[in-house]
Amino acid sequence: MPAKDMDRVVSLCKRRGFIFQSSEVYGGIGSTWDYGPLGVELKNNVKRAWWRAVVYDRDDMEGLDAAILMNRLVWKYSGHEATFSDPLVDCKSCKKRFRADHVIGQRCPECEDGELTEPRNFNLMFETYVGPVRDDSSLAYLRPETAQGIFVNFVNVQQTMRRKLPFGIAQIGKAFRNEITPGNFTFRTREFEQMEIEYFCKPPKYLQPGEKSDIELHEEWVEERFNWYVNLGIDPSRLRKRVQRPEELAHYAKATVDIEYLFPGSLGWSELEGIANRQDYDLSAHSKDVSEEDLERLKLVRNLHSTQRLDYFDEAYVDPVTGKRGARYIPYVIEPSAGADRATLAFLCEAYDEELVGELKPEEIADLQAARTAAIKSIDKKLSDKKLEPGLAEQLTAIKQRLQDTDSILDVESVCNLAGSERVEALKKLRQLAARLCDEYSRVVLRLHPALAPIKVAVFPLKKNEPRIVELARSVSALLRPVCRTVYDDTAAIGKLYRRQDEIGTPMCVTIDFQSLEDSTVTVRDRDTMKQQRVSTSELVDYVLRRLE
RNA sequence: GCGGGCGUAACUCAACGGUAGAGUGUCAGCUUCCCAAGCUGAAAGUUGCGGGUUCGAAUCCCGUCGCCCGCUCCA
């Protein structure tokens, strides 16, 4: 079972060195997060798995790492300067928010004589200045998406790599958006990392018999990307494809399918990746000499600055009417655009698990029941009380329902953390009790796919006051270190050492005991089943590598 | 940005105007032949930050920053 609420994942991330709030010693800065020692391993593994799947495992892809700072004209012609700025107004009485260009006059459209605030301009792009002079001519933006770096390099990559359509370009990199409302941990942040593909293909009218259309290639990419998450451990029941309705589509998109993950808690179904069919919009936008009818069809302004036409010479093309060979045209593009931080967060949430180990004592069960009854009573009292804020009644009712339906300490504790619980004193008491019992009777285990796990193997001596065992354990650790990420630990009793590694998702623990001294075998303990297997040290490297596949 | 909640040790929380505490975790030592065992000891907080009220503030008030829940957003 994956995490039941995000708070527990956030807490684990901080406690175990995955993710820290940025600039914490100065009180933080809104919506930025730092990846700690284990977080950077996890996120690197996610990015590496993506790069492997979309670049190395295919024969039709190239990689790219474009600059974050780009010529301002890129953002003028991509449309971001115009469309990435939304002037907004708020109603002072009903507190609703509207886009200024959707409101007629000075009054709120929803309530009588609601006064509106002055329009505030939210340009979602971060601005900076390049060079010593701070004026308009040196204005630049931190890129709000990595995609444009690929588009403006289309011809460079196609020609230097001698590629024929269809082929794609993959890029991983930071992007920046001054989001109005960041939040939900690393899900929506102002600085984030994208994993984007632009897959260039022939427009429908230039297809030869047997070639796949943009529509088919779009569908293939949706399948491929969906399966990537599943192969790395996301349960398909928490992953879905959502086809955007025609009215949702951006004007440049012919079709978009979102891949959504069911995050824990209030975040719920949320987008990990969007796969769009952008047709020839982007390459046309950055090209000179685009025809009038194409400009009109794509609702583009004429590009007066670009020095190039980002097109493609298709020598295989045969005109069905004239029989003439060869054609020059601007390709279509399919864009699978994923969030590296979002994927990482999804894998963390999916992998997070708590399970009971051991039985509660009768008096502990009795205490728990008493506290639960008191909490339910308390909720009833609160609910029958005067008017509550909007939403609170629903939240409390949901908490009460879930409290009645369960008697597992794991559930009780997570229910006590739900939104609204802080308003009922008895729930706080119940949570304290449940938390104490959970500490004693449960283990937290991150069931990460081995390819994603930050540490692959941990090596322990069974007894740390036995020098021969310690020495052998250190040498086994040294044996594995060049092969995969390995740590050695002897600072606690064996049970605690196992639990520590469970919590950070280490798939295997190797333990050296007395028998090891005699026959050079060690035990390998599995994270998920806690089962052990004896393996000869001479076969250990092969065994570990096989298990990591 | 608006409304609601919150901010105390690394984590989870207690202390409700009178000397800041507990559990877990961490570290050191002893012990222990396999799942957060035990014993001894230790480090750790200018109570987010700044101001005010008061003889006295973690506690009351104001501001600010940050987090969470709703309106927004779409990687």
Side-chain angles (χ1 to χ4, degrees):
Chain A
M1 284 296 288
K4 294 195 185 64
D5 61 86
M6 191 69 90
D7 286 355
R8 306 184 71 72
V9 177
V10 175
S11 169
L12 174 77
C13 281
K14 168 142 197 210
R15 188 158 37 87
R16 300 263 76 154
F18 282 90
I19 300 174
F20 310 121
Q21 180 165 25
S22 180
S23 315
E24 195 179 14
V25 298
Y26 289 111
I29 172 172
S31 91
T32 56
W33 301 88
D34 297 341
Y35 286 81
L38 297 182
V40 65
E41 297 292 342
L42 173 63
K43 190 174 159 187
N44 278 342
N45 290 341
V46 170
K47 290 189 284 187
R48 192 173 298 125
W50 182 88
W51 192 266
R52 174 160 309 206
V54 306
V55 182
Y56 299 159
D57 288 352
R58 303 176 58 108
D59 62 1
D60 57 353
M61 293 290 296
E62 301 289 351
L64 182 75
D65 185 8
I68 288 173
L69 296 174
M70 302 179 80
N71 190 307
R72 184 183 170 184
L73 291 168
V74 168
W75 308 110
K76 171 184 168 67
Y77 286 107
S78 72
H80 286 84
E81 271 194 338
T83 61
F84 251 58
S85 111
D86 290 339
L88 300 179
V89 292
D90 292 303
C91 172
K92 286 178 181 171
S93 20
C94 73
K95 305 302 180 193
K96 287 237 165 64
R97 161 169 291 182
F98 308 93
R99 279 178 55 167
D101 53 339
H102 290 181
V103 177
I104 303 151
Q106 298 289 304
R107 294 285 151 185
C108 174
E110 298 244 332
C111 55
E112 288 302 310
D113 48 72
E115 198 185 336
L116 295 173
T117 59
E118 286 299 304
R120 288 183 314 280
N121 212 18
F122 288 104
N123 190 321
L124 300 185
M125 287 196 290
F126 283 102
E127 295 178 354
T128 189
Y129 296 90
V130 175
V133 186
R134 293 178 70 95
D135 62 17
D136 272 2
S137 67
S138 63
L139 180 66
Y141 302 104
L142 303 188
R143 66 179 175 200
E145 62 174 33
T146 57
Q148 299 303 323
I150 298 180
F151 292 130
V152 298
N153 276 298
F154 166 71
V155 172
N156 286 339
V157 174
Q158 187 264 320
Q159 298 206 340
T160 53
M161 296 293 109
R162 308 182 323 281
R163 281 288 183 181
K164 289 185 167 41
L165 294 182
F167 77 97
I169 302 176
Q171 172 166 232
I172 298 176
K174 290 266 179 122
F176 304 83
R177 293 181 193 174
N178 199 1
E179 295 284 349
I180 301 165
T181 313
N184 286 309
F185 196 33
T186 56
F187 183 81
R188 174 167 291 109
T189 55
R190 297 197 170 105
E191 173 181 341
F192 60 101
E193 197 153 20
Q194 293 185 305
M195 305 187 292
E196 290 200 297
I197 296 164
E198 303 300 336
Y199 190 80
F200 301 99
C201 59
K202 298 183 179 181
K205 69 176 282 202
Y206 294 103
L207 286 176
Q208 299 296 302
E211 291 182 330
K212 288 171 187 159
S213 70
D214 59 313
I215 294 169
E216 291 168 302
L217 289 166
H218 182 242
E219 283 167 2
E220 282 188 9
W221 272 110
V222 171
E223 287 308 307
E224 163 135 4
R225 294 303 308 140
F226 186 92
N227 291 336
W228 182 78
Y229 293 98
V230 174
N231 290 339
L232 286 172
I234 304 280
D235 189 306
S237 70
R238 278 178 294 277
L239 200 64
R240 71 180 183 192
K241 302 163 202 158
R242 200 179 67 82
V243 179
Q244 284 195 9
R245 296 183 301 277
E247 66 270 23
E248 282 181 275
L249 288 175
H251 65 280
Y252 48 73
K254 186 170 168 181
T256 297
V257 176
D258 289 342
I259 295 177
E260 298 184 330
Y261 174 70
L262 183 57
F263 282 95
S266 64
L267 186 49
W269 285 107
S270 298
E271 185 189 352
L272 294 177
E273 172 161 355
I275 298 118
N277 182 344
R278 296 173 70 104
Q279 303 177 276
D280 50 347
Y281 178 87
D282 304 278
L283 290 179
S284 301
H286 292 301
S287 289
K288 66 174 185 178
D289 302 336
V290 174
S291 73
E292 280 302 335
E293 47 279 36
D294 285 342
L295 291 177
E296 196 167 322
R297 172 173 59 87
L298 297 166
K299 298 194 179 73
L300 283 171
V301 297
R302 176 162 295 286
N303 194 318
L304 302 172
H305 296 87
S306 175
T307 60
Q308 276 190 57
R309 209 175 114 89
L310 300 174
D311 59 9
Y312 173 78
F313 181 70
D314 184 350
E315 58 191 12
Y317 178 72
V318 180
D319 190 304
V321 182
T322 65
K324 200 183 140 199
R325 294 189 80 85
R328 185 167 282 281
Y329 53 81
I330 293 181
Y332 269 31
V333 66
I334 308 298
E335 180 189 78
S337 173
D341 307 275
R342 286 183 179 185
T344 303
L345 183 59
F347 287 124
L348 270 171
C349 290
E350 181 72 15
Y352 185 95
D353 193 19
E354 288 174 50
E355 64 179 19
L356 286 176
V357 285
E359 297 275 317
L360 272 71
K361 300 184 192 83
E363 60 268 31
E364 289 170 331
I365 294 173
D367 287 352
L368 188 68
Q369 296 302 0
R372 185 170 66 159
T373 309
I376 291 172
K377 216 172 190 174
S378 221
I379 293 174
D380 283 334
K381 197 172 158 205
K382 190 94 181 173
L383 284 171
S384 67
D385 227 16
K386 52 211 168 168
K387 280 174 252 160
L388 300 169
E389 304 95 70
L392 184 56
E394 288 80 359
Q395 291 174 331
L396 290 178
T397 308
I399 291 173
K400 181 185 162 191
Q401 187 66 48
R402 283 187 52 183
L403 270 184
Q404 287 168 331
D405 290 348
T406 182
D407 56 2
S408 154
I409 50 170
L410 296 176
D411 289 342
V412 169
E413 201 205 358
S414 76
V415 168
C416 289
N417 277 311
L418 288 174
S421 62
E422 71 281 353
R423 304 292 298 272
V424 178
E425 203 59 33
L427 277 171
K428 292 186 184 175
K429 300 280 180 202
L430 179 59
R431 174 172 54 201
Q432 266 180 268
L433 177 61
R436 193 168 55 75
L437 293 172
C438 281
D439 250 350
E440 201 170 340
Y441 293 105
S442 72
R443 73 163 183 153
V444 172
V445 51
L446 276 191
R447 303 188 191 276
L448 289 169
H449 188 285
L452 300 182
I455 310 287
K456 310 302 185 191
V457 185
V459 181
F460 312 137
L462 186 57
K463 282 184 62 157
K464 68 169 166 177
N465 60 353
E466 175 54 59
R468 289 180 305 157
I469 289 182
V470 170
E471 190 188 347
L472 181 55
R474 287 191 181 279
S475 72
V476 167
S477 158
L479 178 73
L480 289 170
R481 210 174 295 126
V483 176
C484 61
R485 188 88 168 99
T486 303
V487 297
Y488 170 87
D489 196 356
D490 66 5
T491 59
I494 191 73
K496 187 178 286 189
L497 295 177
Y498 285 145
R499 290 293 192 271
R500 276 183 191 158
Q501 298 300 324
D502 288 343
E503 224 177 11
I504 62 172
T506 305
M508 283 170 280
C509 292
V510 172
T511 300
I512 282 73
D513 57 16
F514 283 96
Q515 191 183 329
S516 309
L517 298 173
E518 290 160 21
D519 64 4
S520 285
T521 60
V522 297
T523 62
V524 181
R525 178 259 197 190
D526 178 72
R527 174 193 70 199
D528 297 330
T529 63
M530 300 196 281
K531 295 256 166 57
Q532 287 177 306
Q533 196 172 346
R534 279 211 95 83
V535 177
S536 161
T537 49
S538 58
E539 291 161 15
L540 186 59
V541 167
D542 283 347
Y543 178 87
V544 163
L545 285 176
R546 203 163 56 243
R547 288 275 307 273
L548 290 175
E549 276 169 10

